[in-house]
Amino acid sequence: MTDPRADGFAPDYGTARAAFLRAAEAAGAVPGGFRLPGHTGPDGSALTVDTAYLGPERPVKLLVTVSGTHGIEGFCGSACQTRVLLQEGLARSAGPGTGVLLVHALNPYGFAYLRRVDQDNVDVNRNFVDHGAPPHNDAYDAVHAALVPADGAPFSARRLTEELLTLRDRLGTRVFQEAVTRGQYRRPDGLFYGGRRPSWSHGVLRRIVAERVAGTPHIAYIDLHTGLGERAAGEPIFRGGRDRGARERARAWYGPALTASEEGTSSSTPIVGNTASAVADGLRGDEELTAITLEFGTLPGPEVLLALCADNALHLRRPADRAVLAQEKRLLMEAFAPVDGTWRKTVLQRAREVFDQALRGLASCDTKAR
């Protein structure tokens, strides 16, 4: 197994958090934190969203990075933040008037218990919607029975694979992917469940945006994820900005690698209720937001979905403190946090490139033109 001290990837949430906090302190960052009430990690320790800020008190330009929106994907995001931005000093190299805000483990429960979802089975990256009138995803109803075994039915990888392949062939790959992953708000035991109310992590991010982000004229936002696309490629997926120039800025900053779900060029189909939309909603209206998801591929899509289904079935059958020790977690780790030295090295190098592109993009913004 790769030594986590050698590549920045931690073996568990507690180790990742401790490394982040040490690196933030060594870098002279201003700390912040939000403890998840009513829950502890498998070892009994606190579960916390931690923040670290470097830069002037009132920045004109701000880079915001978020890890662990999808819990277990925090192993990768945490390593990118801790190693590249803090330990290697990239955050301190930001230009004059530029700040860097790191949000570590937005979904600490999922990170600690090796889940993509939070303590209520909510997909935090589908939760930022109007819960009084949530968007309907009728197509999910056609696939739910295949994804989630009936009460008492044993999980069968072979049966599930056969059913998923049949559905994919019948619906078409892209339609099937969107039906599954777009987000659904009716079935709490299902996959990609956006919840019936704002999640705890939802409230934390809203508060961070209100207190530390809103009002900054130029904002670069990067949400770090794994599980989609070419292995370790680091695909920058455009997630928006409400001003007219957002897409053009993103293209100028990130180049031809930039993709867009709505244009069909991304490994991700369109999703609703993502964190970038929450940032945009929380701004005052005159800021320039350039938001992306940075997505690092792992396994082929069918294997990732199989891992998610196996994990969901596991947690429907067992309490979290037992489920976290189960064999099924090995497949989930390979799907979202591979123990592969080459993958990890490539991920960190790509993170350096994209973070640098974001900082250079911010540096190119003309504050006088506002």
PDB file of all heavy atoms in Angstrom, residues 227-251:
ATOM      1  N   GLY A 227     -14.659   9.843  -9.755  1.00  0.00           N
ATOM      2  CA  GLY A 227     -15.602   8.804 -10.145  1.00  0.00           C
ATOM      3  C   GLY A 227     -16.154   8.877 -11.541  1.00  0.00           C
ATOM      4  O   GLY A 227     -16.806   7.942 -11.992  1.00  0.00           O
ATOM      5  N   LEU A 228     -15.912   9.988 -12.254  1.00  0.00           N
ATOM      6  CA  LEU A 228     -16.421  10.117 -13.620  1.00  0.00           C
ATOM      7  C   LEU A 228     -15.278  10.437 -14.583  1.00  0.00           C
ATOM      8  O   LEU A 228     -14.334  11.144 -14.223  1.00  0.00           O
ATOM      9  CB  LEU A 228     -17.453  11.237 -13.719  1.00  0.00           C
ATOM     10  CG  LEU A 228     -18.883  10.962 -13.271  1.00  0.00           C
ATOM     11  CD1 LEU A 228     -19.729  12.223 -13.431  1.00  0.00           C
ATOM     12  CD2 LEU A 228     -19.502   9.806 -14.049  1.00  0.00           C
ATOM     13  N   GLY A 229     -15.418   9.951 -15.801  1.00  0.00           N
ATOM     14  CA  GLY A 229     -14.501  10.335 -16.860  1.00  0.00           C
ATOM     15  C   GLY A 229     -13.264   9.467 -16.954  1.00  0.00           C
ATOM     16  O   GLY A 229     -13.138   8.422 -16.315  1.00  0.00           O
ATOM     17  N   GLU A 230     -12.343   9.932 -17.778  1.00  0.00           N
ATOM     18  CA  GLU A 230     -11.098   9.209 -18.019  1.00  0.00           C
ATOM     19  C   GLU A 230     -10.275   9.130 -16.739  1.00  0.00           C
ATOM     20  O   GLU A 230     -10.191  10.086 -15.972  1.00  0.00           O
ATOM     21  CB  GLU A 230     -10.303   9.937 -19.112  1.00  0.00           C
ATOM     22  CG  GLU A 230      -9.016   9.258 -19.524  1.00  0.00           C
ATOM     23  CD  GLU A 230      -8.262  10.023 -20.584  1.00  0.00           C
ATOM     24  OE1 GLU A 230      -8.881  10.915 -21.207  1.00  0.00           O
ATOM     25  OE2 GLU A 230      -7.067   9.735 -20.778  1.00  0.00           O
ATOM     26  N   ARG A 231      -9.647   7.997 -16.520  1.00  0.00           N
ATOM     27  CA  ARG A 231      -8.934   7.750 -15.270  1.00  0.00           C
ATOM     28  C   ARG A 231      -7.880   8.839 -14.999  1.00  0.00           C
ATOM     29  O   ARG A 231      -6.985   9.085 -15.807  1.00  0.00           O
ATOM     30  CB  ARG A 231      -8.274   6.373 -15.294  1.00  0.00           C
ATOM     31  CG  ARG A 231      -7.686   5.947 -13.947  1.00  0.00           C
ATOM     32  CD  ARG A 231      -7.280   4.485 -13.966  1.00  0.00           C
ATOM     33  NE  ARG A 231      -6.650   4.061 -12.718  1.00  0.00           N
ATOM     34  CZ  ARG A 231      -7.294   3.647 -11.632  1.00  0.00           C
ATOM     35  NH1 ARG A 231      -8.623   3.606 -11.655  1.00  0.00           N
ATOM     36  NH2 ARG A 231      -6.655   3.280 -10.547  1.00  0.00           N
ATOM     37  N   ALA A 232      -8.032   9.507 -13.870  1.00  0.00           N
ATOM     38  CA  ALA A 232      -7.100  10.523 -13.350  1.00  0.00           C
ATOM     39  C   ALA A 232      -6.985  11.765 -14.217  1.00  0.00           C
ATOM     40  O   ALA A 232      -6.127  12.604 -13.966  1.00  0.00           O
ATOM     41  CB  ALA A 232      -5.705   9.916 -13.143  1.00  0.00           C
ATOM     42  N   ALA A 233      -7.874  11.913 -15.212  1.00  0.00           N
ATOM     43  CA  ALA A 233      -7.682  12.989 -16.189  1.00  0.00           C
ATOM     44  C   ALA A 233      -7.858  14.382 -15.602  1.00  0.00           C
ATOM     45  O   ALA A 233      -7.205  15.328 -16.029  1.00  0.00           O
ATOM     46  CB  ALA A 233      -8.642  12.800 -17.367  1.00  0.00           C
ATOM     47  N   GLY A 234      -8.729  14.547 -14.643  1.00  0.00           N
ATOM     48  CA  GLY A 234      -8.960  15.878 -14.090  1.00  0.00           C
ATOM     49  C   GLY A 234      -9.714  16.765 -15.063  1.00  0.00           C
ATOM     50  O   GLY A 234      -9.215  17.774 -15.546  1.00  0.00           O
ATOM     51  N   GLU A 235     -10.964  16.411 -15.318  1.00  0.00           N
ATOM     52  CA  GLU A 235     -11.802  17.145 -16.271  1.00  0.00           C
ATOM     53  C   GLU A 235     -12.439  18.370 -15.616  1.00  0.00           C
ATOM     54  O   GLU A 235     -13.162  18.234 -14.627  1.00  0.00           O
ATOM     55  CB  GLU A 235     -12.907  16.220 -16.780  1.00  0.00           C
ATOM     56  CG  GLU A 235     -13.935  16.884 -17.683  1.00  0.00           C
ATOM     57  CD  GLU A 235     -15.135  15.988 -17.971  1.00  0.00           C
ATOM     58  OE1 GLU A 235     -15.096  14.790 -17.584  1.00  0.00           O
ATOM     59  OE2 GLU A 235     -16.111  16.486 -18.558  1.00  0.00           O
ATOM     60  N   PRO A 236     -12.168  19.571 -16.134  1.00  0.00           N
ATOM     61  CA  PRO A 236     -12.845  20.762 -15.610  1.00  0.00           C
ATOM     62  C   PRO A 236     -14.224  20.899 -16.263  1.00  0.00           C
ATOM     63  O   PRO A 236     -14.337  21.080 -17.467  1.00  0.00           O
ATOM     64  CB  PRO A 236     -11.916  21.909 -16.012  1.00  0.00           C
ATOM     65  CG  PRO A 236     -11.199  21.409 -17.224  1.00  0.00           C
ATOM     66  CD  PRO A 236     -11.173  19.910 -17.155  1.00  0.00           C
ATOM     67  N   ILE A 237     -15.276  20.790 -15.453  1.00  0.00           N
ATOM     68  CA  ILE A 237     -16.646  20.832 -15.952  1.00  0.00           C
ATOM     69  C   ILE A 237     -17.257  22.177 -15.582  1.00  0.00           C
ATOM     70  O   ILE A 237     -17.334  22.524 -14.403  1.00  0.00           O
ATOM     71  CB  ILE A 237     -17.490  19.691 -15.358  1.00  0.00           C
ATOM     72  CG1 ILE A 237     -16.814  18.332 -15.608  1.00  0.00           C
ATOM     73  CG2 ILE A 237     -18.897  19.698 -15.952  1.00  0.00           C
ATOM     74  CD1 ILE A 237     -17.485  17.178 -14.883  1.00  0.00           C
ATOM     75  N   PHE A 238     -17.690  22.927 -16.557  1.00  0.00           N
ATOM     76  CA  PHE A 238     -18.264  24.250 -16.300  1.00  0.00           C
ATOM     77  C   PHE A 238     -19.544  24.120 -15.484  1.00  0.00           C
ATOM     78  O   PHE A 238     -20.443  23.381 -15.837  1.00  0.00           O
ATOM     79  CB  PHE A 238     -18.561  24.957 -17.623  1.00  0.00           C
ATOM     80  CG  PHE A 238     -19.169  26.328 -17.457  1.00  0.00           C
ATOM     81  CD1 PHE A 238     -18.424  27.370 -16.956  1.00  0.00           C
ATOM     82  CD2 PHE A 238     -20.487  26.565 -17.812  1.00  0.00           C
ATOM     83  CE1 PHE A 238     -18.971  28.630 -16.796  1.00  0.00           C
ATOM     84  CE2 PHE A 238     -21.052  27.818 -17.666  1.00  0.00           C
ATOM     85  CZ  PHE A 238     -20.292  28.854 -17.154  1.00  0.00           C
ATOM     86  N   ARG A 239     -19.596  24.840 -14.363  1.00  0.00           N
ATOM     87  CA  ARG A 239     -20.774  24.807 -13.498  1.00  0.00           C
ATOM     88  C   ARG A 239     -21.404  26.177 -13.339  1.00  0.00           C
ATOM     89  O   ARG A 239     -22.351  26.333 -12.584  1.00  0.00           O
ATOM     90  CB  ARG A 239     -20.405  24.256 -12.123  1.00  0.00           C
ATOM     91  CG  ARG A 239     -20.072  22.776 -12.109  1.00  0.00           C
ATOM     92  CD  ARG A 239     -21.258  21.923 -12.508  1.00  0.00           C
ATOM     93  NE  ARG A 239     -20.958  20.495 -12.403  1.00  0.00           N
ATOM     94  CZ  ARG A 239     -21.486  19.578 -13.190  1.00  0.00           C
ATOM     95  NH1 ARG A 239     -22.319  19.923 -14.144  1.00  0.00           N
ATOM     96  NH2 ARG A 239     -21.164  18.309 -13.022  1.00  0.00           N
ATOM     97  N   GLY A 240     -20.889  27.167 -14.020  1.00  0.00           N
ATOM     98  CA  GLY A 240     -21.653  28.385 -14.088  1.00  0.00           C
ATOM     99  C   GLY A 240     -21.022  29.616 -13.500  1.00  0.00           C
ATOM    100  O   GLY A 240     -19.840  29.703 -13.212  1.00  0.00           O
ATOM    101  N   GLY A 241     -21.905  30.542 -13.285  1.00  0.00           N
ATOM    102  CA  GLY A 241     -21.646  31.923 -13.016  1.00  0.00           C
ATOM    103  C   GLY A 241     -22.791  32.644 -13.707  1.00  0.00           C
ATOM    104  O   GLY A 241     -23.150  32.281 -14.834  1.00  0.00           O
ATOM    105  N   ARG A 242     -23.407  33.591 -13.048  1.00  0.00           N
ATOM    106  CA  ARG A 242     -24.637  34.178 -13.576  1.00  0.00           C
ATOM    107  C   ARG A 242     -24.400  35.331 -14.547  1.00  0.00           C
ATOM    108  O   ARG A 242     -25.326  35.751 -15.239  1.00  0.00           O
ATOM    109  CB  ARG A 242     -25.515  34.655 -12.403  1.00  0.00           C
ATOM    110  CG  ARG A 242     -25.888  33.519 -11.427  1.00  0.00           C
ATOM    111  CD  ARG A 242     -26.918  32.591 -12.015  1.00  0.00           C
ATOM    112  NE  ARG A 242     -27.091  31.364 -11.261  1.00  0.00           N
ATOM    113  CZ  ARG A 242     -27.797  31.232 -10.157  1.00  0.00           C
ATOM    114  NH1 ARG A 242     -28.392  32.279  -9.616  1.00  0.00           N
ATOM    115  NH2 ARG A 242     -27.924  30.055  -9.566  1.00  0.00           N
ATOM    116  N   ASP A 243     -23.195  35.880 -14.595  1.00  0.00           N
ATOM    117  CA  ASP A 243     -22.955  36.972 -15.531  1.00  0.00           C
ATOM    118  C   ASP A 243     -22.666  36.413 -16.927  1.00  0.00           C
ATOM    119  O   ASP A 243     -22.280  35.255 -17.084  1.00  0.00           O
ATOM    120  CB  ASP A 243     -21.780  37.846 -15.058  1.00  0.00           C
ATOM    121  CG  ASP A 243     -20.472  37.083 -15.063  1.00  0.00           C
ATOM    122  OD1 ASP A 243     -20.266  36.248 -14.155  1.00  0.00           O
ATOM    123  OD2 ASP A 243     -19.668  37.298 -15.980  1.00  0.00           O
ATOM    124  N   ARG A 244     -22.852  37.232 -17.928  1.00  0.00           N
ATOM    125  CA  ARG A 244     -22.756  36.780 -19.323  1.00  0.00           C
ATOM    126  C   ARG A 244     -21.381  36.243 -19.694  1.00  0.00           C
ATOM    127  O   ARG A 244     -21.247  35.374 -20.545  1.00  0.00           O
ATOM    128  CB  ARG A 244     -23.111  37.930 -20.268  1.00  0.00           C
ATOM    129  CG  ARG A 244     -24.579  38.305 -20.264  1.00  0.00           C
ATOM    130  CD  ARG A 244     -24.841  39.374 -21.308  1.00  0.00           C
ATOM    131  NE  ARG A 244     -26.245  39.727 -21.387  1.00  0.00           N
ATOM    132  CZ  ARG A 244     -26.732  40.617 -22.244  1.00  0.00           C
ATOM    133  NH1 ARG A 244     -25.905  41.255 -23.075  1.00  0.00           N
ATOM    134  NH2 ARG A 244     -28.030  40.879 -22.268  1.00  0.00           N
ATOM    135  N   GLY A 245     -20.351  36.755 -19.049  1.00  0.00           N
ATOM    136  CA  GLY A 245     -19.001  36.371 -19.445  1.00  0.00           C
ATOM    137  C   GLY A 245     -18.466  35.132 -18.766  1.00  0.00           C
ATOM    138  O   GLY A 245     -17.316  34.755 -19.010  1.00  0.00           O
ATOM    139  N   ALA A 246     -19.263  34.460 -17.948  1.00  0.00           N
ATOM    140  CA  ALA A 246     -18.752  33.344 -17.152  1.00  0.00           C
ATOM    141  C   ALA A 246     -18.189  32.224 -18.015  1.00  0.00           C
ATOM    142  O   ALA A 246     -17.091  31.719 -17.775  1.00  0.00           O
ATOM    143  CB  ALA A 246     -19.852  32.810 -16.235  1.00  0.00           C
ATOM    144  N   ARG A 247     -18.943  31.806 -19.019  1.00  0.00           N
ATOM    145  CA  ARG A 247     -18.488  30.690 -19.846  1.00  0.00           C
ATOM    146  C   ARG A 247     -17.223  31.059 -20.621  1.00  0.00           C
ATOM    147  O   ARG A 247     -16.289  30.256 -20.744  1.00  0.00           O
ATOM    148  CB  ARG A 247     -19.589  30.249 -20.810  1.00  0.00           C
ATOM    149  CG  ARG A 247     -19.276  28.933 -21.525  1.00  0.00           C
ATOM    150  CD  ARG A 247     -20.416  28.565 -22.449  1.00  0.00           C
ATOM    151  NE  ARG A 247     -21.655  28.326 -21.736  1.00  0.00           N
ATOM    152  CZ  ARG A 247     -22.030  27.121 -21.278  1.00  0.00           C
ATOM    153  NH1 ARG A 247     -21.255  26.080 -21.462  1.00  0.00           N
ATOM    154  NH2 ARG A 247     -23.177  26.988 -20.650  1.00  0.00           N
ATOM    155  N   GLU A 248     -17.179  32.281 -21.135  1.00  0.00           N
ATOM    156  CA  GLU A 248     -16.007  32.715 -21.895  1.00  0.00           C
ATOM    157  C   GLU A 248     -14.782  32.788 -20.986  1.00  0.00           C
ATOM    158  O   GLU A 248     -13.674  32.426 -21.390  1.00  0.00           O
ATOM    159  CB  GLU A 248     -16.269  34.076 -22.547  1.00  0.00           C
ATOM    160  CG  GLU A 248     -17.255  34.043 -23.704  1.00  0.00           C
ATOM    161  CD  GLU A 248     -18.699  33.806 -23.264  1.00  0.00           C
ATOM    162  OE1 GLU A 248     -19.008  34.075 -22.082  1.00  0.00           O
ATOM    163  OE2 GLU A 248     -19.508  33.340 -24.086  1.00  0.00           O
ATOM    164  N   ARG A 249     -14.956  33.272 -19.758  1.00  0.00           N
ATOM    165  CA  ARG A 249     -13.832  33.308 -18.824  1.00  0.00           C
ATOM    166  C   ARG A 249     -13.333  31.893 -18.536  1.00  0.00           C
ATOM    167  O   ARG A 249     -12.119  31.631 -18.537  1.00  0.00           O
ATOM    168  CB  ARG A 249     -14.250  33.956 -17.506  1.00  0.00           C
ATOM    169  CG  ARG A 249     -14.302  35.457 -17.517  1.00  0.00           C
ATOM    170  CD  ARG A 249     -14.340  36.015 -16.094  1.00  0.00           C
ATOM    171  NE  ARG A 249     -15.350  35.384 -15.251  1.00  0.00           N
ATOM    172  CZ  ARG A 249     -16.633  35.728 -15.239  1.00  0.00           C
ATOM    173  NH1 ARG A 249     -17.063  36.711 -16.026  1.00  0.00           N
ATOM    174  NH2 ARG A 249     -17.487  35.128 -14.439  1.00  0.00           N
ATOM    175  N   ALA A 250     -14.272  30.978 -18.269  1.00  0.00           N
ATOM    176  CA  ALA A 250     -13.877  29.611 -17.960  1.00  0.00           C
ATOM    177  C   ALA A 250     -13.104  28.993 -19.114  1.00  0.00           C
ATOM    178  O   ALA A 250     -12.095  28.298 -18.903  1.00  0.00           O
ATOM    179  CB  ALA A 250     -15.115  28.772 -17.634  1.00  0.00           C
ATOM    180  N   ARG A 251     -13.537  29.262 -20.329  1.00  0.00           N
ATOM    181  CA  ARG A 251     -12.835  28.725 -21.497  1.00  0.00           C
ATOM    182  C   ARG A 251     -11.444  29.329 -21.621  1.00  0.00           C
ATOM    183  O   ARG A 251     -10.471  28.626 -21.916  1.00  0.00           O
ATOM    184  CB  ARG A 251     -13.643  29.014 -22.772  1.00  0.00           C
ATOM    185  CG  ARG A 251     -13.022  28.467 -24.047  1.00  0.00           C
ATOM    186  CD  ARG A 251     -13.088  26.962 -24.098  1.00  0.00           C
ATOM    187  NE  ARG A 251     -14.453  26.478 -24.210  1.00  0.00           N
ATOM    188  CZ  ARG A 251     -14.795  25.198 -24.139  1.00  0.00           C
ATOM    189  NH1 ARG A 251     -13.862  24.280 -23.946  1.00  0.00           N
ATOM    190  NH2 ARG A 251     -16.058  24.827 -24.248  1.00  0.00           N
TER     191      ARG A 251
END
